């Protein structure tokens, strides 16, 4: 049966949670993230080519660590979302959301009737039909998450309507694409970018929807916590691994005197 969604439970309780993007197409990446102690993972299929079987293995690995597996899709294609959910994903992350209609369509695709119109299949999330379908459907509707990324000027302008869409569980920021949309590409610390992020966070929280912020600099945690945010992303595991490897190499050069 589909696991209890510990992330959704933590959000409802207002507890702090930490997640990371998984961009390496291997279950070993999820093992590293799980052993490190993260609460949730976002498997990225927007920017990364991962075959369906590997995604399912990554989801299984997250389940083993009792870590909530979300999957970021490249678009709001209902059939794509259906297959990921049937593979065990506990939530779908939709990028570039600019209207409540996109969220409504995702909710319909991710939830069973009467909350949506997801096609029924008693696969691995439904324990292959072990339990009554009515039991599984009710359980799935309680635990599947719909997450919207607001990362454009149009999305920021529609933030209140997006946040107030029934069935939305979480909003995730996307400062890099937002900076591009604002015409100040890749300057994620620019005052206009921060103002747009703060507006979106405040709007979401005022509407009762949790907001997830990326921790991009040393004091980012305190910055966002002071604004009521308790859901945090630490980037993607490739970048984290790269920076750790580079620091280790630089330290090795220093320790061995190989670099002046």
């Amino acid at each position: 049966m589909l696991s209890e969604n510990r992330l959704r439970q933590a959000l409802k309780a207002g507890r702090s949670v930490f997640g990371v993007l998984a961009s390496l197409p291997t279950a070993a990446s999820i093992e590293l993230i799980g052993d490190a102690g993260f609460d949730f993972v976002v498997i990225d299929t927007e920017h990364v080519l991962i075959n369906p079987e590997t995604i399912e293995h990554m989801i299984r690995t997250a389940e083993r660590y009792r870590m909530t597996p979300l999957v970021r899709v490249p678009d709001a294609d209902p059939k794509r979302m259906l297959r990921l959910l049937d593979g065990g994903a506990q939530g779908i992350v939709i990028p570039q959301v600019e209207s409540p209609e996109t969220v409504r369509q995702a909710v319909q695709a991710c939830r069973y009737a009467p909350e949506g119109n997801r096609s029924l299949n008693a696969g691995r999330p439904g324990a292959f039909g072990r339990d009554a379908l009515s039991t599984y459907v009710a359980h799935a509707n309680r635990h599947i998450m719909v997450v919207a990324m607001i990362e454009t000027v149009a999305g920021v302008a529609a933030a209140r309507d997006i946040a107030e869409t029934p069935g939305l569980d979480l909003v995730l920021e996307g400062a890099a694409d937002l900076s591009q949309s604002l015409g100040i590409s890749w300057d994620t610390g620019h005052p206009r970018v921060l103002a747009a992020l703060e507006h979106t966070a405040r709007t979401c929280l005022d509407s009762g929807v949790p907001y997830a912020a990326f921790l991009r600099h040393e004091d980012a945690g305190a910055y966002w916590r002071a604004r009521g945010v308790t859901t945090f992303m630490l980037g993607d595991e490739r970048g984290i691994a790269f920076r750790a490897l580079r620091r280790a190499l630089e330290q090795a050069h220093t320790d061995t005197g190989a670099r002046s």
Side-chain angles (χ1 to χ4, degrees), residues 33-180:
I33 294 166
D35 271 323
F38 282 87
D39 299 291
F40 67 101
V41 61
V42 179
I43 299 168
D44 189 13
T45 67
E46 181 189 13
H47 293 289
V48 183
L49 294 171
I50 311 179
N51 69 59
E53 185 177 13
T54 298
I55 295 172
E56 192 168 270
H57 289 325
M58 294 170 80
I59 290 169
R60 283 194 185 97
T61 305
E63 291 170 349
R64 174 180 175 268
Y65 286 94
R66 303 184 72 195
M67 182 170 58
T68 300
L70 310 178
V71 180
R72 180 165 71 174
V73 293
D75 53 51
D77 179 357
K79 292 183 178 178
R80 191 193 315 274
M81 289 187 271
L82 174 64
R83 289 189 289 271
L84 291 166
L85 294 171
D86 284 348
Q90 289 186 294
I92 299 296
V93 180
I94 305 121
Q96 304 282 329
V97 174
E98 296 182 331
S99 74
E101 182 56 32
T102 301
V103 178
R104 282 192 287 269
Q105 291 173 357
V107 171
Q108 287 290 301
C110 291
R111 304 246 163 81
Y112 292 115
E115 298 176 31
N117 56 23
R118 177 181 167 187
S119 177
L120 185 59
N121 177 274
R124 62 179 302 268
F128 306 102
R130 179 193 64 197
D131 302 317
L133 287 177
S134 58
T135 300
Y136 162 62
V137 164
H139 179 81
N141 279 355
R142 286 194 303 271
H143 292 282
I144 294 299
M145 294 180 63
V146 175
V147 182
M149 291 194 72
I150 294 180
E151 47 188 341
T152 65
V153 171
V156 172
R160 185 163 301 280
D161 290 337
I162 291 169
E164 293 179 350
T165 306
L168 180 65
D169 296 289
L170 177 67
V171 168
L172 175 60
E173 61 111 314
D177 280 355
L178 178 57
S179 69
Q180 178 174 251

